[in-house]
Structure formats: structure tokens, C-alpha cells
């Protein structure tokens, strides 16, 4: 199962072509793509026009949605953040720590275009789509 980060969905909905959005476009219907609850919120809150919001919401709700947070993931996220900080890697956004930790916790592969996930790949075995 592939969890797609908001960094990719935002580019995808804005028509930005990249290796990641091209991969997503090809993978739709071929791979099991899932959405995380907090990713859903991040993506949908960015739409200015009601029609775009409605269209994106309908599309995203067709995918399986998983809860990315909870007590276990929250505690693991704090541990992971502290571990990476001790390695000299400070993650800028708590939401990225939660997403990466949830992927590790649930054995999910992440499609992203965000440098904050790289330390999780290097030090904590986050699985990411290799493009």
C-alpha cells in the first residue's frame, strides 16, 4: 500500500508535472493508493474555489482512508523526533513526523517530495517509492 503525501497531491491537483506526480498518475488504478486522515485535511484545506474543493474531495474519498495518529503513533513520533534531533536532523513540521512514523508503524510505503522525510529513510527505515 502506498500512502501519498500532501506534497504530491498538491502538485497533482495543480497540474505540476514531476517524477512523483507522473508516478502517481501511472499508479492510479494499478497500485493500492491510500490517504491518511491528516493528509486529507492538509490537501483539502488548501483549495480556494468551492468547485475545486468539491471535486478533489470526491476524488480523494474514493481511496481508502486510514487514521495516522493515535496514542502509539504519537509516542513513537516523539521518540523518532528526539532520535533524529540527536543525530543532528531537526524535522520542521510535526505533521511530517506523524506521517513518517505512521508509515513505519503500519508498514506503509510513502510517496513524497519533501526533504523532511529523508532522515526517516536513512535512520529509521521509512520505505519510500523509489523513482
Amino acid at each position: 500500500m502506498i500512502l501519498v503525501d500532501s506534497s504530491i497531491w498538491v502538485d497533482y491537483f495543480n497540474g505540476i508535472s514531476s517524477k512523483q506526480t507522473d508516478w502517481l498518475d501511472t499508479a492510479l488504478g494499478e497500485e493500492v493508493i491510500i490517504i491518511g486522515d491528516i493528509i486529507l485535511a492538509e490537501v483539502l484545506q488548501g483549495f480556494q474555489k468551492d468547485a475545486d474543493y468539491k471535486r478533489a474531495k470526491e476524488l480523494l474519498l474514493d481511496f481508502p482512508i486510514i487514521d495516522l495518529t493515535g496514542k502509539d503513533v504519537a509516542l513513537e513520533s516523539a521518540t523518532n523526533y528526539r532520535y533524529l534531533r540527536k543525530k543532528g536532523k531537526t524535522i520542521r513540521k510535526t505533521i511530517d513526523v506523524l506521517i513518517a512514523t505512521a508509515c513505519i508503524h503500519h508498514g506503509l510505503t510513502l510517496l513524497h517530495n519533501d526533504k523532511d522525510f529523508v532522515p526517516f529513510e536513512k535512520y529509521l527505515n521509512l520505505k519510500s517509492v523509489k523513482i
Side-chain angles (χ1 to χ4, degrees):
M1 288 190 290
I2 311 294
L3 180 72
V4 178
D5 182 52
S6 57
S7 61
I8 306 306
W9 285 117
V10 168
D11 286 351
Y12 187 80
F13 284 120
N14 285 320
I16 296 171
S17 181
S18 69
K19 292 177 193 175
Q20 291 85 0
T21 57
D22 292 345
W23 186 94
L24 176 60
D25 199 42
T26 301
L28 292 172
E30 301 295 322
E31 299 280 344
V32 178
I33 304 292
I34 61 174
I35 303 289
D37 55 353
I38 55 180
I39 293 170
L40 179 66
E42 267 191 316
V43 173
L44 291 177
Q45 72 187 8
F47 285 96
Q48 298 290 323
K49 297 179 182 175
D50 290 342
D52 294 339
Y53 168 83
K54 183 179 178 185
R55 191 168 34 255
K57 180 180 169 186
E58 289 172 3
L59 173 78
L60 293 173
L61 289 177
D62 280 342
F63 294 100
I65 299 171
I66 66 164
D67 294 331
L68 293 177
T69 58
K71 181 181 74 171
D72 292 341
V73 171
L75 291 170
E76 288 173 35
S77 293
T79 299
N80 288 345
Y81 179 87
R82 295 180 75 250
Y83 175 79
L84 292 174
R85 190 175 58 199
K86 287 176 185 175
K87 293 279 189 189
K89 308 295 180 189
T90 301
I91 308 305
R92 298 172 296 160
K93 295 179 276 181
T94 299
I95 197 164
D96 289 344
V97 178
L98 290 166
I99 291 167
T101 301
C103 286
I104 295 164
H105 181 86
H106 296 293
L108 304 172
T109 300
L110 181 65
L111 177 64
H112 71 89
N113 186 20
D114 187 329
K115 67 182 180 178
D116 276 340
F117 292 116
V118 174
F120 288 92
E121 295 168 350
K122 182 175 180 181
Y123 296 106
L124 295 166
N125 299 315
L126 172 66
K127 294 182 286 184
S128 294
V129 174
K130 302 298 179 206
I131 300 174

